Every structure is written in structure tokens, then in C-alpha cells.
Amino acid sequence: MKEEDEAVEWSGSWVSQRLGVELVGDDGLKELLGLALRRNPKRAHLLVSHVLGKHVPQKPSVVYGHGYELGVRVRELLGREDAARAVVLGYAETATGLGHSVADGLALAPYLHSTRRPVDGVGPAGGFEESHSHATSHLLLPEDPKLLAGDGPLVLVDDEFSTGNTVLNTIRDLHARHPRGRYVIVALVDMRSARDLGRLDAFAKEIDARIDLVAHAGGTVRLPDGVLEKGQALVAAHETASTAPAPGGSGRPGGPGGRQAAAASPAATYLSPAAPEAPAGSEGTDGSEGTDGSEGTDGSEGTDGSEGTDGSEGTDGVDGTRGADRVDGADGRGGPGGHGRQGPREPHAPRVVRIDLDWPSGVPDGGRHGFTPAHRVELEAALPAMAHRVAEALDDGRPPETGVPRKRAAGAVAPPQTDGSPRVLVLGFEELMYTPLRLALELERAGAAREVRYSTTTRSPVLAVDDPGYAIRTRLVFPAHDEPADGPGERYAYNVADGGFDAVVAVVDSAADTAALHAPDGLLAQLAAHIPHVLLAVVPSYVPAPEKEPMPPEPLRGPEFSSYAPDEVGWLLQDLSDVELEAPTEEREEAIQSGGAHYAESLPVEYQPSDAYQALFHAALETSAARIARAVGAVTDTVLAEHPQRHRPGIHPREHRPVLVSLARAGTPVGVLMRRWARHRHGLDLPHYSVSIVRGRGIDANALRWLAAHHHPADVVFVDGWTGKGAITRELAAALGEFDGFVPEIAVLADPGGCVRTYGTREDFLIPSACLNSTVSGLVSRTVLRTDLVGPHDFHGAKYYRELAAADVSGHFLDTVEARFDEVADAVDADVKELLSADRAPTWAGWAAVERISEEYGIHDVNLVKPGVGETTRVLLRRVPWKILAKRGAGADLDHVRLLAEQRGVPVEETDDLPYSCVGLIHPRFTRGATGADGKAVAAQ
């Protein structure tokens, strides 16, 4: 090809001619983009940006300028007020530097980029998938969890906007967590197809938000039928050609994926940063003697138009067999990113010199964990000094002229005369794009070299073809050196070999400064094989300091949350009243039993009792109020009597005051009654809180942290309404093993299962607060634990059903029982005396009975067997019941159970040998098509 033809050839023509791929759109689109072939089963082609600084070395001012200009346009679009509230989010790995440059143009916004690198001790604030990528999972790891929690505009930055899937996945994930009214999508190019153009507007309407798009240029890629298969075949053909031995050569492969630049020979003199320098005149290799002709073109896409001919004899770069005798071709022109190309270098000893940048303390190396405007100010102030250190190292390490003339092919244009200052490449590392870009920009502005270019390494596998009409001319292959989470693998540097560079400054973070980086086949050795002077700058990897966990907020209290008076109970919960959490009972049961959901992730629809059932509740309350009051008095006085035994010596008796902590929500009415007894009989004002505990998930750790910060853990007495088989008792004991000072015991009103040692009675009798749901528990729902609603520093959640105030009997229940306190006082004194002298060790008789029933009835799951009046009532109110086992001869205590069973069509089977008054059995093989799912007919299985 003639030199003048190469000067105007588009770097996507090779792919376009062979696959029929067309790039159509705005004027100047082809100046921004070239084409290459992916080694990717999901997409054949790769749009290669000339101005991104990823695959193609480019002037840093061009790379930074494009991003900064986009940021200025976003600032003008939003206006100063909204720009000050915005957050910019860039995509790993390709757009991390672009996004950061956009944030600089926006001027006032903090910046965060997604990452594929998990960081120990930093929990994700979100994540999403990039479906077409070779490595799809993105993590969001902000140091400040509030960074993405605001309601200001979110600016999402990627190098190209094609299908929109990645951006929409991101918005969907973040909008579900923290809804906001405006999003701005920023890209170098908008490459959506006609069918994708309407998706953005439709999605904006779906989430009721405004979504704008800002891009430098727009267009689309037209793909013929079968392009993926044709592209894969073309890649396979060229990989085969590139690994074949060169005619008459040594058979050394060029490596898969087109012409791979020669790697460092094992015999080369490679000086690691810690090694002594080689003696003068030692024999090293820069790859010029390899049979693959390492000193040829790299097809880089810049803007200085200095690319020249390659002097190849009748080849188009496809077979990877160019000879080592190359020309400079310095005056030729290629598209953006061309450069003066050097021939084989004189023998020299490649070396790697480490530069101490004196990185400013506390400034992040990029946006992986967030980068604030304050960080930006600190970095701007430090950049000139850091660039000066690099410039000094470049000047000190310039190899001396040897006087050996360079070989040139006949007719080649002589290289330009220079003052000897180097042509420098600043090479970033995968996601670490912004820091090396700013360093390169500072070198360029300071005139530290005759020319400065910038690009980065990447994990994207791309075919390399040495042709001026192809965007990826050469590639270096080396092993990953940052111990990636997805395991070892190849990494690449494109258009670096044969780039005509006199020096390269490799910039990595300290997490990537590993043995693999310095290995004989590592990145530094590969660079040293092709570039005479290699400098290494290591930036400290910023890892957020272990943050002292924030203290959760103060407890919720009535009347803002619950119908209880504010002094009755403090709820260590978060208010989820505005969240739709209810699901039909049958739907919840199917999801729970199938393993598709945990019972604490949703709420049953609040049962509204019939008039007949309400009447039964009031009758039961009047009948049992004295019995309940007696049990309340007995358990409270037992707690008060034994409480000093929990304590450390030397504490004044007046400080031996229990802190009642009821287990929401069944324990809460009992805790309120115990508090009222202590005040009524003893003049004690006991603190009372309510916390969440979830079977299989444990107790709310943040609630325990709050309690430990405000009270001595030994004072905490956990309170519940009753025991069934003792699952919650065991759950509490296991959960408290991780916390110091708390006593892993529960005080309950009734312990028919023999699961605890502190109780008011072990009889299984009707506790009216078990008959209803929220309307007897302060209008508060059961607790909820779901990761999208409950963050790592949040209390578990619950709802306050204000709308049910007309049906609320919470206060009536408490007042009715308290009215009987004086009446039962003498009986309580006798009960407590007996309890304190008795052997109250748990017998776990209830657990044994449950295991027997589970096997006898073919259920084989103790979680579906709910013993006792209270638990049986819950089964009928919240779950899909199969049958009820009632102790033969049980009387009025089971009237409400029989009524509920009749309403739901559940058989009641009387039986002997039960330690409980009744046992509720949940449908053991429930689906919505199962017998009994309609609540009207349940047949034995």
C-alpha cells in the first residue's frame, strides 16, 4: 500500500471489508472510532475509541479534553444548583478515567466508578451486570454508603451507549434502593440501533424519572446476518496463521489473536527494581531479534498524523510474518494516534526504574471507593511535583547514543532530527486510568518530553492484525498481576509494541505491584523487550479505613410509631410503613416452603377478625385476665429477685435494675405488662425496648449494639410471650454467643414446652394477645428483614398500621389485665416463693413432642409443627394450616382456635399424650394447587 493511501485509511476498513460491518452516523464519527475483532462469544466486533486512551495510545490532552468537555455540557444541562447535588458514576474498566474526567468538568460532583475487584472489609452498595462483556459483574463499593443515597441527579458515564442494557440495569438497581427524579447518561458516542432508541423514554416513564443523554457523536453499527459466526471464524483463521512457524524461521509463535509482539527472551537481561544494574555493555534484548518482526507498526489511533509505511513485502499484516528489518516511516500519516515508527534498536540492557511519586496521603488512587471535590483539590496541588519526579527519572535514564546507525529499508523516509528528548508512553493499569492520565497530562503540559502518549492495559481479549485499516495493530500478552477475584488469566497492552516509544512509565496501584508484575513473562519484562527505558510508578491502593460502625438512631415511640404511650416501650426498629410488604398467605407459604423466600422478607395480609371472633376475644380476655395478671406478676418478681445474681461485684443494689427487652412483636405486650407490674407493686420504672429476632437469621445485632451503648448488657432481660418448641430460645442463645455480657435467657409468660427457666407458668392456656395480630400489639406488624430494605447499620424493619386505629384493642388488653394486679398479689407472692425454690431447669419436653409429631404425621420438618395455643393461633392467622391437634377434653381455651379452624375449613383432631393444649400443623407439601390451598378443604396426605 502506498504511503499516501495509508494516511487516509480508516482504522475500521479491514473489519468492514471482510465482515460487512458498517459504521454510519454523524460527521466525525470515524475520527472517534475504529473497528477490531473481539475474542468474545457474545459479540464479534469491538468499537475502538481513538480518544478514550484504553486500546490506542493518544495524547493525554485529547483524552482528558473529551471527558472534561462532556462534564461541562452536563453542568450546563443541569444548572449550577442541581450540578452541586449530582453524583457521577463511571463504568469499569473502560470508562473509569472518562467518568472521572466528566466529574472534573462538572466541577462540583463527587465521583465513583464500578469495579470488578472485591475489597476486603468494604461491603457493596449495589451491583449489576454488563451482558455483552467478557467479564460481567460490577460492584459498587463507596466508602461513604450515603454517596448513592441522595436524591440529586445521577450522572452515568460509559465510553459508548449501545443497547442501553448496562445503564438500565444500573438505574434499575439503584433506583429500587434510592429513587431519584433525574438521571443523565454520558457517552463518547451514542450507538443505539433504531429498535433501542425508544427504550430509554419507556424506561423513564416506568420509573417516573427524567433521563437525558449527552454524547459527542451519534450513529450506529450495521451488522449483516451471521456476523458473529463469520467474525469467530475470521478470528480463528488469524490465530491459526499467527501461531504457525515463519518460513525458514525458528518456529517461534506470535501468540493467539494476530501478531503478538515478541516477548522477552528468557536469556534477556532484565533488571527488576530491586536488582543491581547490569554492567555496561551487557547483552539485553528488546524484541528486535524475534522472528515475528517486533519493530513494525502498531496501528495506534492518535491525532498527530505521523504514522508511516511499514515497508512490508506484499503482506497486509495478516500472516504475522513481518521481518525484523523495519523502516522508521516517520513522515507517514495514518489516522488518529499515528506516530514516528522506529526500526530495530541497538543492543541495550533493558531496565526498570522505580519512581517514588510521593503520593499525597489520604487521596484515593481513583474512584473505586469515591473521589470527592476535596480530593480533587489535593490531587491538583500535588500533580506538578509528581510529574517533575517522573521527568527527572526520564532525563536520568535516557540511554546514551551508541553511534550505531539504524537499519532502514530502501526508500524509507529518514527519521526527524530531534533534540534527544524522549517520546514517552504513560501506561495505566486496567481500572486505574485517571491517575496515570492526569500524570501524563501534567508531563505534556510541562513539556517534559517531545511527545507524550497515554493508554492502559486491559483484560479485554482482542485480535491484533498489523494493517493500517485495523485498529489493534500489535499486542503484548502477560499474566494478570493483581491477584484478581476471578483467578489468573491473560492481560493485554495494545498498540504499545512497535509504537516508537523511547520510554514508558507504567503506573499501577500497590495491589498490583506483585511478583507476577516483575516476573520474566510479566508486564514489565514485556515492556522492557520493546522499549529501552521502563519506569514503574506505584500508587498506594486506597482502601477505606475500618470505619467505626455508626450508632443506630434512637428508638421509635408512640404515637409516631405504635399506639402505645411513649414511655411504655421504645421500638429498636426502622419504620417501613410506606413500603408494600404484604403478600397473600398462600403465595407466601409456597415461596417459603420452596426455599424461594424467607418468612421474614414479607408480611401476611393483616387478618381482620369477624364480629364473632372479636366477641370471642373480649370474652376470653375477661375470663383469663386474672390468670394472665398472676403470670405477669410471677415472672416479673422472679426476674427482680434473681437479677442481682447476674451482676458483677461492687455495684450498688440500687443500680441492679433490669432492662426489659421484649422480642417483637408477641413479647411486646408482655414486656409492657411486666413494666406496669414493677411500677404498680414496687415503684420501679424499668426501661423497656422491643427488638427483632428472626428464626434462621438471628437477633438484630444493631439493636444489641445500641443496648450495650446505653445499658449494661448484664441488665438486659429478654422477654417473650410464650414458648412453643423453643426454637427462638435456641436462636437467641446462638446469636448472643457473638456478643459479650448479655445473658442468653428468655423470661416468658407461659412455658408449656419446658424451654426456659424464668416463666410465670408452664400451663398452656389462652393468652388473648395471641388471638389477634397488630391490633393487640400497638398496631405494629411482625418484623421484616430484607437486604434491600435493611442495610448493614439499620435496625430490622416493621410497619405501623395507623389505618387500623378503629380496631385497636392494645390499650384495652393492657388495662384489663392491669386492673387485676391487686387481686392476684397474694397468689403471686406464693408463686414466686415456690418458683425460687423449685428446680426450673428446662426439660425440652415440648421439643421432643414436636419431633415425635413431625415423624408420626409424615411431615419431617419441625418448623411446620407449631405447638401451644399461641403458636396454633398464629398458624390459623398467618400460614396455610393442614390440621389442628387438640388435647382431648380441652375447654374454653380453645374456643377461638375452633372458630378460626371452622372459618378456614381445617379439621380439628382430638388426641391424647400432648404436653400442650393444641398443636397447629402447617400444610407440609403446600403449593397453590394443593388440597386445602383455598382454605376450605384440607385432606390428609
Side-chain angles (χ1 to χ4, degrees):
M1 179 179 291
K2 293 184 180 180
E3 191 172 279
E4 58 269 25
D5 294 331
E6 183 174 333
V8 297
E9 185 164 3
W10 172 49
S11 67
S13 60
W14 192 93
V15 173
S16 181
Q17 292 164 7
R18 286 159 177 78
L19 293 185
V21 176
E22 295 182 70
L23 189 65
V24 295
D26 296 343
D27 292 341
L29 187 62
K30 290 185 178 180
E31 295 178 8
L32 293 173
L33 297 175
L35 290 174
L37 295 180
R38 293 172 177 262
R39 294 168 60 207
N40 185 321
K42 301 177 184 178
R43 184 182 288 184
H45 69 283
L46 175 70
L47 296 176
V48 179
S49 173
H50 300 156
V51 299
L52 183 64
K54 173 55 72 171
H55 303 88
V56 177
Q58 177 58 277
K59 292 182 177 179
S61 56
V62 172
V63 177
Y64 186 72
H66 277 78
Y68 191 90
E69 180 188 341
L70 285 169
V72 171
R73 290 173 57 187
V74 173
R75 185 175 63 197
E76 293 171 349
L77 173 69
L78 293 176
R80 182 176 179 84
E81 183 176 342
D82 274 355
R85 299 169 55 239
V87 175
V88 180
L89 174 62
Y91 286 92
E93 66 178 43
T94 309
T96 60
L98 175 65
H100 212 141
S101 303
V102 169
D104 285 356
L106 200 56
L108 303 171
Y111 175 64
L112 176 75
H113 70 70
S114 66
T115 181
R116 294 190 176 102
R117 180 195 287 179
V119 178
D120 290 342
V122 184
F128 50 90
E129 298 296 312
E130 185 178 6
S131 57
H132 67 268
S133 174
H134 61 283
T136 59
S137 296
H138 289 247
L139 299 171
L140 297 176
L141 304 177
E143 179 176 19
D144 180 1
K146 297 178 181 177
L147 185 66
L148 295 172
D151 58 1
L154 182 63
V155 181
L156 303 102
V157 184
D158 209 351
D159 56 320
E160 64 174 276
F161 188 61
S162 50
T163 64
N165 288 336
T166 302
V167 170
L168 297 189
N169 285 342
T170 310
I171 295 176
R172 193 183 304 278
D173 178 84
L174 295 178
H175 195 78
R177 301 166 186 265
H178 306 290
R180 63 186 76 225
R182 190 166 189 183
Y183 297 87
V184 181
I185 300 167
V186 178
L188 289 171
V189 289
D190 175 8
M191 301 301 292
R192 287 174 294 169
S193 64
R195 67 179 182 180
D196 289 324
L197 288 175
R199 293 182 63 198
L200 207 58
D201 290 339
F203 183 70
K205 291 179 181 178
E206 177 188 331
I207 66 171
D208 191 25
R210 175 176 173 179
I211 304 179
D212 297 291
L213 176 63
V214 176
H216 275 307
T220 189
V221 181
R222 292 178 182 168
L223 302 174
D225 293 339
V227 68
L228 180 58
E229 293 77 13
K230 292 177 183 177
Q232 290 172 338
L234 193 57
V235 169
H238 286 284
E239 285 181 338
T240 301
S242 68
T243 56
S250 64
R252 179 180 173 187
R259 193 179 70 78
Q260 175 179 315
S265 164
T269 301
Y270 172 71
L271 305 179
S272 73
E277 294 194 27
S282 62
E283 290 294 321
T285 175
D286 62 357
S288 58
E289 300 304 318
T291 60
D292 62 353
S294 60
E295 291 298 326
T297 65
D298 69 351
S300 58
E301 313 292 333
T303 58
D304 63 351
S306 59
E307 181 164 273
T309 63
D310 64 359
S312 57
E313 295 295 326
T315 68
D316 63 357
V318 171
D319 60 7
T321 58
R322 294 190 311 143
D325 226 353
R326 308 299 300 154
V327 300
D328 290 359
D331 291 339
R333 294 182 60 82
H339 50 72
R341 183 180 295 124
Q342 297 175 218
R345 304 185 186 280
E346 307 81 14
H348 66 277
R351 60 177 186 153
V352 178
V353 176
R354 186 183 291 266
I355 311 168
D356 179 8
L357 291 176
D358 193 20
W359 185 262
S361 176
V363 174
D365 53 301
R368 181 178 287 113
H369 303 298
F371 199 95
T372 67
H375 292 143
R376 185 175 295 121
V377 171
E378 292 184 70
L379 180 60
E380 295 285 352
L383 274 169
M386 289 192 289
H388 181 69
R389 286 170 175 264
V390 174
E392 286 185 330
L394 287 168
D395 188 64
D396 292 344
R398 188 181 310 148
E401 294 292 334
T402 64
V404 179
R406 298 182 177 183
K407 292 188 268 185
R408 298 204 308 275
V413 180
Q417 298 298 314
T418 71
D419 61 1
S421 63
R423 186 171 187 272
V424 176
L425 172 68
V426 177
L427 184 68
F429 158 64
E430 296 187 30
E431 293 178 9
L432 187 69
M433 295 186 69
Y434 180 75
T435 290
L437 172 60
R438 293 305 311 276
L439 195 60
L441 181 62
E442 200 66 30
L443 289 171
E444 183 184 24
R445 288 173 173 172
R450 91 171 174 271
E451 186 178 347
V452 179
R453 291 292 171 119
Y454 159 79
S455 66
T456 78
T457 65
T458 176
R459 55 192 297 157
S460 299
V462 186
L463 180 72
V465 177
D466 187 25
D467 187 280
Y470 190 82
I472 302 296
R473 304 286 289 272
T474 67
R475 70 175 191 165
L476 296 176
V477 183
F478 51 92
H481 53 89
D482 62 338
E483 300 178 355
D486 56 353
E490 291 184 344
R491 298 296 186 262
Y492 313 94
Y494 295 114
N495 296 328
V496 172
D498 298 352
F501 298 111
D502 302 294
V504 58
V505 182
V507 183
V508 303
D509 60 14
S510 55
D513 185 19
T514 62
L517 175 69
H518 299 271
D521 62 343
L523 171 62
L524 297 179
Q526 297 284 16
L527 293 172
H530 296 276
I531 300 173
H533 190 31
V534 179
L535 285 74
L536 173 65
V538 179
V539 180
S541 299
Y542 183 78
V543 178
E547 183 180 354
K548 187 176 180 180
E549 295 184 1
M551 184 56 60
E554 290 300 300
L556 301 173
R557 295 184 182 272
E560 288 76 18
F561 186 86
S562 88
S563 60
Y564 292 134
D567 63 331
E568 298 272 31
V569 59
W571 302 85
L572 297 178
L573 298 171
Q574 64 165 317
D575 188 355
L576 299 179
S577 300
D578 296 330
V579 181
E580 190 67 34
L581 294 168
E582 290 77 12
T585 300
E586 290 77 16
E587 180 180 310
R588 292 183 73 250
E589 190 65 46
E590 184 174 26
I592 292 168
Q593 291 200 29
S594 68
H598 191 276
Y599 78 90
E601 294 177 351
S602 64
L603 294 174
V605 177
E606 273 290 305
Y607 171 76
Q608 293 303 297
S610 64
D611 291 343
Y613 190 84
Q614 283 275 34
L616 189 150
F617 164 79
H618 287 286
L621 177 58
E622 289 300 323
T623 301
S624 61
R627 196 176 183 183
I628 296 169
R630 181 173 174 178
V632 167
V635 69
T636 306
D637 282 359
T638 300
V639 166
L640 292 172
E642 295 187 334
H643 191 69
Q645 300 171 17
R646 292 174 169 234
H647 259 285
R648 57 276 181 209
I651 301 298
H652 193 278
R654 286 179 299 183
E655 298 181 40
H656 291 176
R657 187 175 64 158
V659 176
L660 303 178
V661 177
S662 57
L663 304 180
R665 74 183 161 184
T668 309
V670 176
V672 175
L673 286 171
M674 290 177 66
R675 183 178 182 280
R676 288 191 177 189
W677 177 274
R679 184 180 57 192
H680 182 85
R681 287 297 307 272
H682 306 289
L684 296 175
D685 191 10
L686 302 183
H688 176 217
Y689 306 96
S690 194
V691 303
S692 170
I693 187 169
V694 177
R695 179 171 51 81
R697 303 284 180 86
I699 198 166
D700 188 338
N702 289 315
L704 293 184
R705 287 180 48 239
W706 190 95
L707 289 167
H710 292 80
H711 303 280
H712 195 287
D715 284 330
V716 170
V717 178
F718 295 99
V719 174
D720 207 354
W722 58 85
T723 62
K725 54 183 173 288
I728 292 299
T729 306
R730 296 186 177 197
E731 189 82 44
L732 179 69
L736 291 180
E738 301 180 12
F739 298 88
D740 294 333
F742 292 98
V743 179
E745 295 181 0
I746 304 178
V748 299
L749 205 60
D751 178 37
C755 306
V756 300
R757 64 179 303 278
T758 306
Y759 51 84
T761 180
R762 277 186 167 160
E763 295 181 26
D764 185 20
F765 70 98
L766 172 61
I767 300 174
S769 59
C771 293
L772 300 172
N773 286 320
S774 67
T775 53
V776 78
S777 303
L779 299 181
V780 174
S781 75
R782 207 206 61 240
T783 60
V784 174
L785 178 56
R786 210 168 77 189
T787 54
D788 60 327
L789 299 173
V790 179
H793 305 300
D794 295 332
F795 292 137
H796 294 186
K799 299 183 75 167
Y800 173 29
Y801 293 114
R802 298 171 177 82
E803 65 275 16
L804 299 181
D808 185 26
V809 294
S810 304
H812 175 67
F813 170 72
L814 298 173
D815 293 344
T816 300
V817 174
E818 184 179 18
R820 304 295 185 93
F821 282 174
D822 289 336
E823 173 187 327
V824 300
D826 291 341
V828 167
D829 290 343
D831 291 343
V832 172
K833 183 176 181 180
E834 182 178 344
L835 284 168
L836 292 176
S837 62
D839 178 7
R840 292 177 281 124
T843 64
W844 297 100
W847 189 275
V850 166
E851 289 182 324
R852 175 180 59 79
I853 292 169
S854 175
E855 296 305 310
E856 183 178 327
Y857 284 83
I859 296 173
H860 309 301
D861 184 352
V862 293
N863 290 323
L864 301 181
V865 180
K866 302 295 185 180
V869 178
E871 293 302 302
T872 300
T873 305
R874 287 180 169 187
V875 169
L876 289 164
L877 291 176
R878 305 181 195 170
R879 305 292 292 270
V880 175
W882 181 34
K883 61 179 64 179
I884 305 301
L885 307 181
K887 189 172 185 178
R888 197 179 306 278
D893 281 342
L894 299 189
D895 284 351
H896 75 293
V897 170
R898 295 187 181 94
L899 178 58
L900 281 175
E902 180 182 354
Q903 290 176 349
R904 299 204 64 183
V906 180
V908 177
E909 180 180 312
E910 291 198 347
T911 183
D912 297 312
D913 196 25
L914 279 182
Y916 304 94
S917 296
C918 59
V919 175
L921 304 183
I922 296 171
H923 202 298
R925 286 169 290 277
F926 178 76
T927 66
R928 275 173 282 183
T931 304
D934 58 0
K936 297 179 180 177
V938 179
Q941 300 291 314

